[in-house]
Every structure is written in C-alpha cells, then in structure tokens.
Amino acid sequence: MSSNKTLVLTNGHFYTGTKIGIESNSSPSTLIVKNGKIDYFGPSNSATLHQYSDIEEHDLKGRYVLPSFIDAHTHFLLLGQSLAKVQLGGCKDLSEIRLRIAEYVQQNPDKERVLCSGWMHSMTAGQAKASMLDDLTNKPIYIDSKDLHSCWCNTPALAEMGVQNMPDPAGGTIERDAEGKASGLLSEACVLLIVWPWLAQVLSVEEKMTSLRAGIKAYHENGVTGCIDMAMDDNSWDAILALRKAEGGRLPLRLAAHWCINPGNGEADRLKQVERAVELAAIYNASTSPDLRIVGIKIICDGVIDACTAALKEPYTTNVASPEPIWTPSMLDPVVKSACEAGLQCALHAIGDQAVHNAVNVLEAYGQPGQRHRIEHLELTAPEDAARLGKLGITASIQPVHADPAILRAWPALLGPERIKRAFAYQDFADHGATLAIGSDAPTAPHPPLKNLYVATTRRSARYPDAGDQPVNENFKLGIAEAVNAATHGAAYSCFAEHRLGTLEVGKEADFVVVEMDFQPEGLLSAKVSQTYFAGDKVFDAATGSEEVPKM
C-alpha cells in the first residue's frame, strides 16, 4: 500500500469478537486503515465513508477477516532455526531417523553440524544412545526432542561440548552408561545450560538473524504478527536486537518476552537472574519499546508426560515413580516473590497435576491483583486447581496442538483411564473464569494457528486427520469464537497489549489476516491464509506466493 493512501477493505466477513459480521445495515462490512491504524470499522453505507479521499480499495470477495494471530507461547529464535533443521517428525522408528539424517549429510557436505528436530522418545523405544548415530558421520549431531526437554547427541557432539567432564547441572540429567560416561541423552536443564549456550557460541549473529527472518516469514504466511517468547535469554535477545537494528529500528512482528530463569547454583544465583529480567524490563517496556519488550520471567517447573518427567500427584500407571518437580516449592517461593514485588509477570511451565498445584499455590501466595500471571501448558489438572485459575486471575496459557490425539497414543498407558479424563481441560478453565491464551509452543509443535484452532474446537487430529485417532476429552473442546478470541484478544490481554492489539476496533493497530474459510470448527482444517497485514502494510499475499516487505 502506498504510504499516502487510505486502505479500504469492503465486501468482507469481519470478526467482531463473538461472531462473524455479514452484510447488513448494522454488521461491519467495511474496514478502513489510515496511518497504520484502524480508522473506521462499520457498515458500508455510512455517511462517514464520504470523508475519505485518495483511497486504495480492496474487494475481499466475501473472504473472512480476523485480527491477526498472536502466538501466546513460542520460542522465536528456535522456531526460525528449526525451519532449517532435519525434520524427524513422523518418523516411525530408528531406521527412518537414520535414513533422514544420512540423506541430509550426503546432500549438505559443507555443513559443520547436523541439527535435527521433532524426535519423540517413542520413536526409538525410549532409547537415545550416541552409538545409535555414530556411524552416520563424524560431524556433531544434535537431535532436539519434540518437546525441547531433551537433546540426543552423537559422540562428536558430546566431545565438542565437553560433556564427559561435566557434572549434572541443577535440574538436568546427563544420561550415562555403566562406566559413568555420557551416553548420548541430555535432559531438562541440560538443554538450557549446556546445549543451547554451546550452539549460541558457535553460531554467528548473521546465522541467527537469518533464522529470525525465517521465523517472521513463517509467521506472516500463517497470519501471525505477534508472539510471546517463553524462554528468552541473552543469546536470543542480542540476536533480536541486532536484527531490529539491521532492519532500521523496527521489526514487522510485535514481541513480548519472558526471561528464562534456570535452577542455577542456589537461591542467590536464581535471584540474580530475576534481577537481570528487572534490569531489561526497565529498558524495554510498553512505554519505551512497545513492540519489543521484556514483560516477565519464565520458570520450567517440571518436565513432560511422554518422558515421565512431568510431576504427578500419583505415580505413572507404568509403575514409574513421579519425579520431584524441577522447581520445588521452596525454590519457587523466593523467585516468584521477587518477581512479583518488581512488577514482573510470572509464567510457570506446569504440565503434571502436582506441578500445576504448586504453581497455583505460589502465585496465590505472592501474586498481586492485576499482575496477570500465567501458567503454561496445564496438561493434567485436578478440578479444584482448574477452578482456582479464574478466581486468582491466572491466565491459562494453552497449546491445543499438544492435545492432538495422534501424539497422545502413549498417554492411556502412562496415566490410566481415570486420570486421562482430566487431560487438556480447556473448557473447564474457561467455565471457571480463566482467561485463555492460545499459543503453539513452536518449534515443539507446528506453528500454524488455524490448525491449532481446529484441535482446540474439535479435539481431533490436525497432524494426521485420516489416521482414525479418537478425540481426547471432547467434552473440553472450545467453541470457535472462544478459540479465535484466545488466539487474538486473549493472547494480547495476557501481555497487557489488549488496548492496541487483538480485536478489530477503531484506534487499534491495523494487524489483521484475510482468510478463505468456512467459519465452523470443521472448516478450520482446510482454511487458508490469503493475506496478512501488519500496521496496515500487507506483509504476505498468497496470490503472489511471496512475502511483501513492509515500510520501516
């Protein structure tokens, strides 16, 4: 769009927050953008329309217009990096994993390392040994688990990181053989404290900026113009700042971030990490840097159910004892207290019902009214804790892509028939008054929001829709308006951005997405993004098959 023209969108079905408007005397069918903001939103026959001149009019031909999506839980740099990794999603066994890696090695002889993603423990019967990879190449191989809670390495990767001489870090496990040597799998805090820092050290800023640009492009192609990063650290933050500088001081993506707090070497170390978040939030906040800001801290309280590392109130049905949380209540208390007193938002990763209980307790103890703290994932919750979320003003940050039945086939055996009835209890959270914010947890799961919403509203598989997997707890599915709201307004509200983003309203940023779809849950699976707009600029157009460069 030319900078001096007024954009007029007509003949569309516009989402108003609870429903889709249709052409009538009262429903909005025209949207006007001026100077990057929504200047008019209403019927097409209003006398107000005559005041506009030098317009650029677009006939939407009946397509749907929604507020652009905000990914409420993502790992931005990792998403961009994952797009260039060997994708192992869908592999059925070790032989298929080895085949994909071998093909990559042959096709990319100049690559110094082999970076992979999408591996699940079930693909290799729970085994992840360096010896299973060592004959493929003498280059280091790093395989991210789908949930990013583990990294499977070959011997050259272990050697270049110096893992053999390291003790287990707090909250992490270096799997070892009978002789005490690292055997290939690094879990939980090892990923945060060993693998990611090492890769950050050996990858250049230019490589990281390339990855970030790839992430922005992928988001635009799927109607996303904002995100909330849930594991920010100095490595990622420095790369994002470098990209913003390289792009003239503005990115075509609005980003809020939670600073990741690691278990560290004791309470003093953990509180020092909180101080770092406070320091950055004083510089990058809603007043000084509204589209790139530090809003709070992130704590990973437990692991994941598939690896039996999520903290449960009762043992796993497979007779595996539930582990202690990565963050015990005594560890959580001083850190959450410090963050709350500093005015930071707390985002607590809690998957198992014990971890959720602990998270709700600590936020109840130290959270202050209006701080909008949040719990991430909430995959297994007791009814009494689900009911407390709304009462305490805690945002339920959910990722329906993790509720896809195609990836939950091991859960009945792990949890048993009764406990699994409380899995992904989204509607229960909403019924008790909790704000829902939908994210993807990319790259642990696919980032496209429309398929994410399909799972949220049907509880059926978007990954393998023809595989015949039955919905898991269909009674907890969301209505389509609830789901769209959670991926737009709910996500904006969760990071104090609802006054600027998340709905189509006059005065708000002109961030919206044009979609070809049937506005029904079943229609979300085949829905396609036609165009994405950021601050009134078209940043993606499917008709041209390319991303458009916004004005800086």
Side-chain angles (χ1 to χ4, degrees):
M1 186 180 77
S2 175
S3 60
N4 59 351
K5 286 186 177 290
T6 298
L7 177 64
V8 179
L9 301 178
T10 63
N11 190 26
H13 296 294
F14 293 89
Y15 185 70
T16 62
T18 57
K19 60 182 180 180
I20 286 289
I22 58 175
E23 186 68 40
S24 71
N25 290 331
S26 58
S27 298
S29 58
T30 299
L31 184 145
I32 297 179
V33 175
K34 192 172 183 178
N35 298 324
K37 297 184 184 295
I38 298 173
D39 200 67
Y40 173 85
F41 184 45
S44 60
N45 58 0
S46 171
T48 304
L49 299 180
H50 300 304
Q51 72 184 28
Y52 294 100
S53 60
D54 197 18
I55 66 173
E56 180 180 321
E57 186 169 348
H58 289 232
D59 184 348
L60 294 171
K61 297 180 170 38
R63 288 176 295 182
Y64 291 82
V65 179
L66 314 177
S68 58
F69 299 109
I70 301 169
D71 192 337
H73 182 124
T74 189
H75 306 277
F76 180 34
L77 176 57
L78 294 175
L79 166 62
Q81 291 174 332
S82 74
L83 299 173
K85 291 183 178 182
V86 182
Q87 302 298 316
L88 302 181
C91 286
K92 296 181 177 61
D93 52 31
L94 176 62
S95 62
E96 192 168 348
I97 290 172
R98 287 172 51 84
L99 178 61
R100 291 194 192 182
I101 294 174
E103 289 176 347
Y104 178 87
V105 170
Q106 183 178 14
Q107 295 167 7
N108 296 272
D110 297 332
K111 295 291 185 181
E112 295 182 14
R113 293 171 183 80
V114 181
L115 306 180
C116 312
S117 65
W119 163 66
M120 296 181 67
H121 292 73
S122 58
M123 296 175 183
T124 53
Q127 296 297 305
K129 308 295 185 184
S131 58
M132 298 156 69
L133 306 170
D134 282 344
D135 63 320
L136 296 174
T137 179
N138 59 2
K139 298 177 181 179
I141 299 175
Y142 296 83
I143 302 179
D144 295 334
S145 64
K146 183 185 73 67
D147 51 44
L148 295 184
H149 282 248
S150 302
C151 187
W152 174 17
C153 305
N154 68 348
T155 297
L158 296 174
E160 73 169 359
M161 290 188 292
V163 170
Q164 294 294 356
N165 299 320
M166 293 182 185
D168 287 3
T173 301
I174 300 172
E175 188 172 290
R176 304 175 192 275
D177 60 21
E179 298 178 357
K181 295 181 179 179
S183 57
L185 185 65
L186 307 179
S187 300
E188 301 302 343
C190 293
V191 177
L192 295 171
L193 300 177
I194 301 174
V195 180
W196 291 358
W198 171 256
L199 292 177
Q201 176 183 329
V202 298
L203 296 176
S204 69
V205 173
E206 289 72 23
E207 288 175 306
K208 295 169 193 172
M209 289 198 295
T210 297
S211 294
L212 291 170
R213 289 190 179 100
I216 291 173
K217 182 176 184 292
Y219 269 148
H220 286 172
E221 290 171 350
N222 287 280
V224 180
T225 60
C227 67
I228 305 174
D229 190 285
M230 276 295 160
M232 189 56 66
D233 58 14
D234 282 301
N235 164 50
S236 296
W237 190 249
D238 289 346
I240 293 168
L241 291 177
L243 179 61
R244 184 173 72 164
K245 182 178 180 180
E247 297 293 338
R250 180 185 181 225
L251 296 175
L253 186 79
R254 308 189 198 278
L255 186 144
H258 284 256
W259 201 256
C260 191
I261 309 298
N262 296 311
N265 296 315
E267 182 177 321
D269 185 18
R270 295 188 282 270
L271 292 176
K272 186 175 181 180
Q273 296 177 60
V274 176
E275 290 173 7
R276 175 64 172 152
V278 173
E279 170 190 327
L280 289 171
I283 302 170
Y284 304 98
N285 53 62
S287 299
T288 63
S289 180
D291 292 329
L292 183 58
R293 56 201 172 99
I294 301 294
V295 297
I297 63 167
K298 163 74 177 300
I299 298 174
I300 301 175
C301 298
D302 69 340
V304 293
I305 287 173
D306 295 273
C308 296
T309 54
L312 306 183
K313 292 183 176 181
E314 301 292 336
Y316 287 84
T317 309
T318 50
N319 292 322
V320 174
S322 175
E324 282 292 309
I326 298 171
W327 282 70
T328 63
S330 63
M331 293 167 66
L332 281 172
D333 281 350
V335 171
V336 171
K337 180 175 183 290
S338 177
C340 291
E341 290 175 348
L344 296 179
Q345 290 181 267
C346 295
L348 306 183
H349 162 123
I351 285 181
D353 53 2
Q354 184 61 59
V356 171
H357 182 72
N358 294 348
V360 175
N361 283 352
V362 74
L363 293 178
E364 182 178 38
Y366 300 110
Q368 300 171 19
Q371 289 189 321
R372 300 186 190 177
H373 301 299
R374 44 195 291 159
I375 298 180
E376 310 302 308
H377 308 306
L378 294 157
E379 295 188 2
L380 187 67
T381 56
E384 57 272 19
D385 287 326
R388 297 167 68 193
L389 300 176
K391 294 177 183 176
L392 297 172
I394 298 171
T395 296
S397 176
I398 57 176
Q399 302 76 42
V401 279
H402 290 324
D404 190 310
I407 60 172
L408 300 179
R409 295 167 186 166
W411 279 43
L414 294 172
L415 298 178
E418 287 305 311
R419 272 191 298 189
I420 202 171
K421 293 177 182 178
R422 289 297 308 174
F424 306 100
Y426 301 156
Q427 191 60 60
D428 195 23
F429 307 153
D431 288 345
H432 286 94
T435 294
L436 303 183
I438 284 182
S440 70
D441 201 11
T444 76
H447 60 275
L450 291 169
K451 288 183 170 58
N452 200 352
L453 298 185
Y454 173 78
V455 180
T457 55
T458 67
R459 302 303 281 258
R460 297 175 187 163
S461 178
R463 293 173 185 248
Y464 306 107
D466 299 323
D469 294 287
Q470 292 301 305
V472 175
N473 297 341
E474 194 172 8
N475 55 305
F476 289 139
K477 68 183 181 183
L478 300 174
I480 189 168
E482 282 181 300
V484 171
N485 286 350
T488 54
H489 178 265
Y493 178 90
S494 75
C495 64
F496 290 95
E498 77 278 7
H499 62 291
R500 303 176 61 226
L501 313 171
T503 54
L504 301 179
E505 295 182 75
V506 171
K508 289 193 173 183
E509 301 288 347
D511 298 353
F512 53 89
V513 57
V514 181
V515 185
E516 293 188 26
M517 66 183 298
D518 173 17
F519 197 76
Q520 300 292 332
E522 295 293 342
L524 290 166
L525 192 60
S526 58
K528 303 293 184 185
V529 171
S530 297
Q531 298 171 338
T532 304
Y533 287 80
F534 175 85
D537 290 323
K538 185 164 56 175
V539 293
F540 171 73
D541 192 335
T544 62
S546 63
E547 183 179 37
E548 300 193 11
V549 180
K551 302 183 300 296
M552 292 297 167

